[in-house]
Amino acid sequence: MAMEEWRHCVDWLVRCNILPEEHRATQPDASAFDLAQTLRDGVLICHLLNTLSPNSVDLKDFSQRPQLSQFLCLKNIRTFLQSCQSVFGLSTSDLFDPLDLFEVRDFRKVLTTLSKLSKTPIAKRRHSGFKPPSSRSCDHEYYNSLEDLANGFPPEQTSHRPPPRRYQDDDDDIYGNLPDLALHHDLDDNEEIYDHVYQEDDDEIYEDLCSTRNRRESSISELPAPVTKRDYCIKELHDTEKNYVDALRMIHLKFSKPLKDIILKTDRDVIFAHIEKLLDVHEKFQAELQSACTSGKPKIGEVFVKYKKSLLLYGNYCSDMPKAQERLEEVTRRNENIRTQIETCERLANDGKFKLRDLLHVPMQRVLKYHLLLRELIKQSGKQAEDKDSLEQGLEAMMDLSLYVNEVKRDNETLQLIEEIQSSIGDLQMPANTTLKDYGRLQKDGELKVKNHTDNKIRIRYIFLFDKVMLMCKAKMVDRLFSGESYSFKEAIILAVYKVQDQQPANRETQRRGDKWNSSFVMGKKDGSNAFSFFAKTEDMKAKWIDAIKLALENASPPQGINYVMHTFDQPTECSVCGKLLRGVFFQGYKCTDPGSDIAVHKECIGKKPNTGSRVPPIPARVIETSHTSTYMEVIHEHHRSVCGAKSSFECSRTDIIFQTRRSPTHVQHRQVRALCNYTGNPNPGGGRPALRFQKDDVIKLLNNDAQWWKGLLNGDEGWFPSQLVQEIENKIRRKPSYLDVKIRSRTENGTPSNISPPRAHSPANNKPYVNVVDDDRSSDQLSVYKWFVGPMGRDTANHRMEHMPNGTFLIRVSENPGRKGELSLSIRYDNQVRHIRVEKNAEGLFYLADTKFFSSLPELVEFYQDNSLADSFPGVDTTLKFPFKTQSGGGANTRILGYAEAVYDYAATATSQLSLCRGDKVAILSKTGSDKGWWKGEHCISGKNGYFPLAYVRELDDD
């Protein structure tokens, strides 16, 4: 049957160890789109080839973390197709077109190619293959219908579309009814699947060399036999460090020294860069750590804090490792004698078990383990441990180091990507002494239709959006399968002198039909001299482009402080405010442009005063001088004068250059916005601008807007606030739902307002319906955006669904019990039980739980009890509303909450895949796979947005 065809492919991928057995595509209710969505970025299919035939795809030839960039995804797919032909012998006719997978234009052809691959002699040596899909025309329509679902890629598609075509045949009916979840719910990215694929080699090498479980010689330890769990943690920390020093010594003595007279010094300095210095640092570090573990002097945490500065050498090592591996490959390829000598060293060092190339990964593995080991030690030491404060300081230092090293690695990958993009635009003429990397990181890329308002012609353009510039190019296909696309430069928008504005579809009926290229936004020059209209395929895609543009504007010209500019620091530098390291290789942070100032800060620290704690460095910013002059980066100089002095395809003018342009606020007349939540001034607007504090549902007069920060007037007070916390009110006259802006108050006998209204329980006899509930599907849809509203649900169902959720999880449901059918109930898990509380409504339409506090809307009621205990009205339920139900259920069958974290520092996202956090925000942890990289994935408990956040900026909450 057709239904089984794609499942044969899933089974084969599981047998090849590419997909985990519990992957969503293996589930009984899965669809073909679940498989397509998993393969679309090209990462797993490239790893598939290396699984079938090791080294058939060079890891440097494809992007292992494409970050949902179309440019990188198509590059990966083409790399796969090239290897299928060159290594596995498939013919051109056997191969699908790259867009058949990326845009899911013809998923049947993709399955056919994978089937033919599975039946090649090389593949059959590993696992038996699977048969290709049939050619029934009706099934072909099913696979083609996946393209409509693919319009939501990257997979946060939420727009409504008609269901796929249905067929009379039973099998085809199953295919024609793809789950609506593919349209309406976010799908997880493939981060955990990638780790499932590549953990095997690096982890095996590290475990063999450093783990106490696999090292027989580690059985003799300088520490006494462990008794408590804390003792075991200390022993593991001590013994693995000793084994790691032995591994570094082996690389130095068994490889670097014997090859001294075999490999040229210039090559040897690249291949073994920093190994000798790392050995020197870790021999000293291990000696002090041993003293701390045996005698308690110094304390363990103090050792890590002391050596944080020395361990910054790993930033250099991380940057230089790709060059070391490339040089190693180069010298062994061109010189047979060198290759033979290295193989001899490998045999003498570890019986040939690991190659030198693999051993060079071990230092990166080790440095990212320290914060994990310390975190476990703190957990097992208990809250009353004498050295708790010291350990926490050590953990903070190592988490900061881990985040720094990983961002160095990621930035090096980003620089490689930017270089590839620049090379692909053949006729791009950059200003003198300038490359694309001088315009920041790539935020988004992909196809849009563009209308230049000077000639009103609409053209398809491929857009590359950087922090400071948007490039519009025309794609030129050289070879549809292998060569990929090259681009011809057409126009550039210097973002700082433009503003972005959303446009509502002129024809809402067209929008409902799902017509493509109907969702538009405008980029207009601030002086009104020019504008461009952009057209995306869906409203969801348009929203993502607008978000990316706003974030790029915010990155390049932070609204918190107009006297701060993005800056590249040529040495590791600590933030002047929080004391943490500025992250990455280029544009790591912001530098104050005030005369005589040397302040350097993170984005989230702009406008804040330096902390006065002993662990925070004073102003000016500290440059960390390591024992080795930084060589891992090319210093990017401030270049605005040279940029303006050269004619180029950018046609820059002095006012166009982003570093020089300070935003001129856009003055707005007769516009009002409504507050979506409370704002108390955190985060601060910065730059000496006052914050405008407001409560949810307050109506604010908009005075002007400045990218992410807007200025408004409320109750006679003027001030600034984040634009994402409000919603603009349309000017047209309409009846507004009471829960938005109407707060009904009764009056006392003397005419003064009163907050308390005589309660009268809502009942079927009361003809005043609940606001936004049962009687109005559209209103019910409005409430459905809240993570706590579930619609109709019975008491027993609520009990079952919340049974294993943490205390504090809550929902509001429409009761299905016969006696209260259609009325509202609050269900909350407290003291490991689910409690149910009626949500009542009085004659004036106000909501309440107890007749002492009344609310004009359900969101207002929920917000109040998120900050105030229910015990004031219900003494037996002493808790606030903590975790909305949908954040715990995760919105999908395969998503589960691992725990919760609370932000202890502010964090400002620099990419749309990240979460911005304010101190005190709570996040549901969805994945800890990236722990060694310094990042977790989670869902913000208030906004509901999914994304990544640095674990160094949060503390994990206790299980209770």
Side-chain angles (χ1 to χ4, degrees):
M1 292 190 304
M3 182 178 65
E4 298 174 348
E5 294 169 349
W6 64 269
R7 290 192 183 274
H8 293 323
C9 181
V10 171
D11 292 341
W12 180 63
L13 293 174
V14 171
R15 282 185 277 122
C16 292
N17 203 34
I18 294 300
L19 293 182
E21 293 183 359
E22 67 277 7
H23 186 263
R24 61 177 176 268
T26 67
Q27 303 304 309
D29 60 347
S31 74
F33 188 68
D34 291 321
L35 175 61
Q37 194 78 325
T38 302
L39 303 180
R40 290 174 65 189
D41 61 12
V43 176
L44 292 181
I45 54 177
C46 286
H47 279 296
L48 168 65
L49 297 185
N50 278 341
T51 299
L52 299 176
S53 177
N55 301 317
S56 57
V57 179
D58 195 318
L59 293 181
K60 71 176 184 296
D61 290 338
F62 74 98
S63 173
Q64 301 184 52
R65 312 278 179 178
Q67 301 297 317
L68 304 179
S69 162
Q70 181 174 335
F71 181 86
L72 289 178
C73 292
L74 288 174
K75 176 189 173 184
N76 289 348
I77 295 172
R78 291 190 177 98
T79 299
F80 165 80
L81 295 172
Q82 291 169 14
S83 296
C84 281
Q85 189 173 65
S86 63
V87 178
F88 292 84
L90 296 187
S91 66
T92 302
S93 61
D94 293 331
L95 303 177
F96 59 84
D97 187 285
L99 292 178
D100 288 341
L101 176 56
F102 182 75
E103 293 186 356
V104 201
R105 290 182 178 181
D106 189 351
F107 196 56
R108 170 178 298 281
K109 183 64 174 176
V110 175
L111 292 175
T112 299
T113 299
L114 291 174
S115 174
K116 290 183 178 293
L117 173 66
S118 75
K119 292 180 177 296
T120 59
I122 296 176
K124 289 172 71 173
R125 287 201 296 263
R126 301 296 298 267
H127 301 283
S128 59
F130 69 97
K131 64 181 182 180
S134 62
S135 58
R136 293 160 62 187
S137 60
C138 55
D139 292 342
H140 189 75
E141 291 292 335
Y142 159 70
Y143 286 112
N144 284 345
S145 72
L146 293 177
E147 182 183 358
D148 286 335
L149 294 179
N151 285 328
F153 186 80
E156 287 90 29
Q157 169 71 281
T158 57
S159 64
H160 293 265
R161 291 180 175 271
R165 177 180 172 186
R166 301 184 61 158
Y167 301 93
Q168 296 302 317
D169 183 275
D170 289 342
D171 294 343
D172 302 324
D173 185 55
I174 294 173
Y175 278 103
N177 288 279
L178 297 177
D180 285 341
L181 291 177
L183 295 175
H184 306 310
H185 293 82
D186 291 347
L187 293 177
D188 288 339
D189 58 30
N190 292 325
E191 187 78 17
E192 293 193 4
I193 304 175
Y194 297 159
D195 286 322
H196 171 81
V197 173
Y198 19 88
Q199 278 185 6
E200 69 284 339
D201 291 336
D202 287 352
D203 281 355
E204 179 184 352
I205 297 167
Y206 176 82
E207 287 294 317
D208 188 271
L209 293 175
C210 299
S211 173
T212 57
R213 294 185 292 273
N214 296 330
R215 292 278 298 234
R216 293 181 181 178
E217 59 267 38
S218 295
S219 57
I220 302 176
S221 174
E222 290 81 358
L223 301 184
V227 177
T228 65
K229 290 182 178 180
R230 172 185 162 94
D231 293 341
Y232 278 100
C233 289
I234 293 176
K235 185 178 187 301
E236 181 178 6
L237 179 62
H238 171 274
D239 291 356
T240 54
E241 183 63 25
K242 180 177 181 296
N243 293 340
Y244 173 57
V245 172
D246 290 342
L248 287 175
R249 192 175 291 119
M250 177 192 70
I251 296 173
H252 179 60
L253 297 179
K254 299 295 181 70
F255 289 92
S256 180
K257 279 194 169 183
L259 295 172
K260 182 177 181 180
D261 298 326
I262 306 297
I263 301 178
L264 294 175
K265 184 179 186 303
T266 53
D267 293 330
R268 197 173 65 253
D269 288 346
V270 174
I271 295 171
F272 298 103
H274 316 297
I275 289 293
E276 191 170 351
K277 291 182 175 61
L278 284 175
L279 176 59
D280 180 62
V281 168
H282 279 275
E283 284 179 335
K284 298 173 183 176
F285 174 73
Q286 194 266 333
E288 291 199 38
L289 182 63
Q290 179 172 321
S291 175
C293 292
T294 54
S295 68
K297 296 181 180 179
K299 294 180 179 179
I300 293 174
E302 293 172 349
V303 177
F304 283 96
V305 172
K306 176 181 177 180
Y307 276 86
K308 176 185 175 182
K309 173 181 174 180
S310 300
L311 296 178
L312 290 175
L313 180 60
Y314 279 97
N316 301 31
Y317 187 86
C318 174
S319 290
D320 291 337
M321 187 172 65
K323 291 182 286 187
Q325 293 179 326
E326 288 179 15
R327 185 66 61 89
L328 176 62
E329 183 179 333
E330 180 184 336
V331 298
T332 54
R333 185 174 58 249
R334 74 183 182 213
N335 191 311
E336 180 69 20
N337 180 49
I338 291 178
R339 184 178 65 81
T340 302
Q341 291 295 328
I342 290 177
E343 290 175 351
T344 300
C345 291
E346 291 169 346
R347 188 166 54 254
L348 294 175
N350 55 68
D351 297 326
K353 187 173 183 180
F354 301 121
K355 305 296 183 185
L356 175 58
R357 177 188 175 97
D358 300 326
L359 293 172
L360 294 176
H361 277 282
V362 173
M364 286 300 300
Q365 292 284 96
R366 181 58 182 174
V367 72
L368 300 178
K369 299 290 185 186
Y370 288 130
H371 70 94
L372 302 176
L373 292 167
L374 286 172
R375 187 183 293 273
E376 185 63 22
L377 176 57
I378 291 173
K379 179 180 178 181
Q380 301 302 337
S381 296
K383 297 180 179 180
Q384 305 302 320
E386 183 180 344
D387 59 349
K388 181 175 181 293
D389 290 343
S390 170
L391 287 175
E392 287 183 343
Q393 292 178 27
L395 172 61
E396 183 177 342
M398 290 302 99
M399 286 196 299
D400 192 27
L401 176 68
S402 172
L403 188 60
Y404 165 76
V405 170
N406 274 297
E407 292 309 290
V408 167
K409 182 176 185 295
R410 190 170 72 161
D411 268 3
N412 277 289
E413 294 171 354
T414 298
L415 289 172
Q416 181 181 348
L417 166 62
I418 293 174
E419 184 178 338
E420 291 179 13
I421 292 173
Q422 183 168 340
S423 299
S424 72
I425 309 175
D427 56 354
L428 178 64
Q429 298 178 21
M430 298 297 299
N433 303 317
T434 306
T435 65
L436 268 183
K437 66 176 177 285
D438 297 319
Y439 292 88
R441 294 169 176 82
L442 180 71
Q443 290 295 341
K444 190 170 179 59
D445 68 285
E447 270 191 347
L448 293 172
K449 284 189 175 181
V450 182
K451 181 175 75 172
N452 190 329
H453 288 203
T454 58
D455 61 12
N456 286 325
K457 291 184 178 180
I458 297 178
R459 305 170 177 90
I460 292 181
R461 292 288 181 254
Y462 197 95
I463 309 297
F464 294 101
L465 175 67
F466 295 86
D467 284 323
K468 299 181 179 183
V469 69
M470 174 191 284
L471 302 184
M472 291 180 271
C473 304
K474 181 179 180 180
K476 299 188 300 182
M477 180 61 66
V478 179
D479 184 302
R480 70 180 183 89
L481 291 181
F482 302 139
S483 298
E485 294 176 341
S486 62
Y487 302 92
S488 175
F489 173 77
K490 294 301 179 182
E491 304 223 36
I493 289 179
I494 302 297
L495 294 181
V497 296
Y498 279 78
K499 58 183 178 181
V500 61
Q501 182 176 351
D502 190 4
Q503 284 195 324
Q504 296 300 319
N507 188 332
R508 294 191 177 275
E509 180 61 30
T510 300
Q511 182 187 6
R512 284 194 291 271
R513 289 201 308 267
D515 289 2
K516 294 180 181 178
W517 307 110
N518 189 53
S519 303
S520 64
F521 62 93
V522 175
M523 293 283 291
K525 211 164 185 179
K526 291 181 179 179
D527 63 7
S529 61
N530 195 18
F532 295 87
S533 290
F534 296 86
F535 302 88
K537 290 182 178 180
T538 67
E539 285 292 296
D540 186 61
M541 286 184 174
K542 177 188 74 172
K544 288 182 173 64
W545 275 102
I546 292 175
D547 287 345
I549 292 168
K550 288 183 176 179
L551 183 61
L553 285 167
E554 182 183 285
N555 287 343
S557 301
Q560 305 97 311
I562 58 177
N563 54 336
Y564 284 84
V565 295
M566 291 173 65
H567 185 74
T568 295
F569 299 86
D570 59 356
Q571 294 185 14
T573 304
E574 289 181 335
C575 175
S576 303
V577 172
C578 69
K580 294 183 180 295
L581 290 163
L582 301 181
R583 303 175 286 268
V585 169
F586 74 123
F587 291 128
Q588 305 98 319
Y590 294 81
K591 187 174 182 179
C592 182
T593 59
D594 291 345
S597 174
D598 197 22
I599 296 176
V601 294
H602 297 107
K603 179 181 175 182
E604 58 268 17
C605 294
I606 294 174
K608 296 181 181 178
K609 295 181 179 180
N611 295 329
T612 56
S614 59
R615 281 180 278 163
V616 178
I619 294 177
R622 293 195 299 183
V623 173
I624 311 299
E625 296 182 1
T626 61
S627 58
H628 174 70
T629 302
S630 177
T631 62
Y632 67 79
M633 62 179 295
E634 176 183 354
V635 179
I636 304 172
H637 299 286
E638 293 290 351
H639 62 283
H640 53 275
R641 290 186 176 86
S642 63
V643 171
C644 296
K647 287 292 182 181
S648 72
S649 55
F650 279 74
E651 291 298 324
C652 303
S653 66
R654 185 170 299 274
T655 57
D656 283 335
I657 302 304
I658 292 181
F659 329 72
Q660 294 178 294
T661 305
R662 293 186 179 181
R663 282 181 227 189
S664 300
T666 303
H667 291 273
V668 185
Q669 293 182 346
H670 309 301
R671 288 172 60 185
Q672 291 183 319
V673 293
R674 178 174 290 107
L676 298 175
C677 61
N678 294 348
Y679 174 60
T680 59
N682 186 18
N684 189 277
R689 297 181 294 188
L692 181 67
R693 293 168 172 79
F694 49 74
Q695 299 293 316
K696 187 175 184 297
D697 292 336
D698 282 347
V699 176
I700 303 163
K701 181 179 179 181
L702 190 60
L703 300 179
N704 56 35
N705 58 358
D706 182 6
Q708 295 291 289
W709 289 88
W710 289 0
K711 185 177 182 181
L713 175 67
L714 176 65
N715 299 328
D717 296 327
E718 292 186 7
W720 294 83
F721 54 89
S723 62
Q724 65 266 32
L725 302 186
V726 299
Q727 183 178 44
E728 190 166 351
I729 301 173
E730 297 182 24
N731 289 329
K732 63 182 181 181
I733 300 174
R734 61 175 180 170
R735 184 178 64 83
K736 299 176 181 178
S738 62
Y739 77 92
L740 289 177
D741 64 343
V742 181
K743 297 191 175 183
I744 304 174
R745 294 183 177 183
S746 63
R747 294 182 176 271
T748 60
E749 293 181 358
N750 61 10
T752 59
S754 170
N755 281 324
I756 301 179
S757 302
R760 189 177 77 189
H762 179 82
S763 69
N766 186 348
N767 58 10
K768 279 198 168 188
Y770 280 110
V771 178
N772 289 344
V773 188
V774 190
D775 296 335
D776 188 339
D777 290 338
R778 289 174 301 176
S779 297
S780 186
D781 285 343
Q782 288 179 331
L783 272 185
S784 68
V785 303
Y786 292 98
K787 298 293 183 178
W788 41 259
F789 184 74
V790 298
M793 179 183 289
R795 175 190 289 255
D796 292 341
T797 302
N799 287 339
H800 175 71
R801 297 284 298 276
M802 302 176 73
E803 182 179 2
H804 299 295
M805 294 185 177
N807 288 324
T809 302
F810 71 98
L811 60 84
I812 288 184
R813 57 187 174 85
V814 180
S815 178
E816 293 187 324
N817 295 341
R820 300 190 67 248
K821 190 173 182 63
E823 301 183 19
L824 294 175
S825 292
L826 167 69
S827 299
I828 181 167
R829 184 165 173 80
Y830 173 71
D831 196 21
N832 297 321
Q833 297 180 14
V834 180
R835 309 292 182 93
H836 305 278
I837 301 172
R838 293 187 179 190
V839 180
E840 305 284 10
K841 187 178 182 185
N842 66 11
E844 286 78 16
L846 301 183
F847 295 92
Y848 65 95
L849 299 181
D851 58 3
T852 56
K853 185 68 179 176
F854 297 86
F855 308 92
S856 61
S857 69
L858 280 176
E860 184 180 337
L861 180 149
V862 169
E863 185 175 343
F864 176 82
Y865 287 108
Q866 284 179 319
D867 297 327
N868 299 274
S869 176
L870 291 165
D872 294 342
S873 304
F874 304 92
V877 189
D878 188 7
T879 182
T880 58
L881 306 180
K882 295 180 179 178
F883 309 121
F885 172 79
K886 292 178 186 176
T887 66
Q888 172 60 20
S889 60
N894 295 297
T895 303
R896 64 187 182 92
I897 303 299
L898 304 180
Y900 289 86
E902 182 178 32
V904 293
Y905 303 102
D906 292 348
Y907 177 74
T910 57
T912 54
S913 60
Q914 299 174 4
L915 291 179
S916 289
L917 301 174
C918 292
R919 184 175 180 179
D921 284 356
K922 291 183 176 61
V923 182
I925 304 169
L926 302 179
S927 173
K928 295 183 178 180
T929 302
S931 292
D932 59 338
K933 306 174 187 65
W935 295 85
W936 284 346
K937 184 180 181 182
E939 180 176 301
H940 197 288
C941 286
I942 300 300
S943 69
K945 180 182 178 181
N946 282 13
Y948 293 92
F949 58 94
L951 60 88
Y953 282 62
V954 302
R955 67 176 181 89
E956 192 168 5
L957 300 177
D958 294 337
D959 292 340
D960 58 355

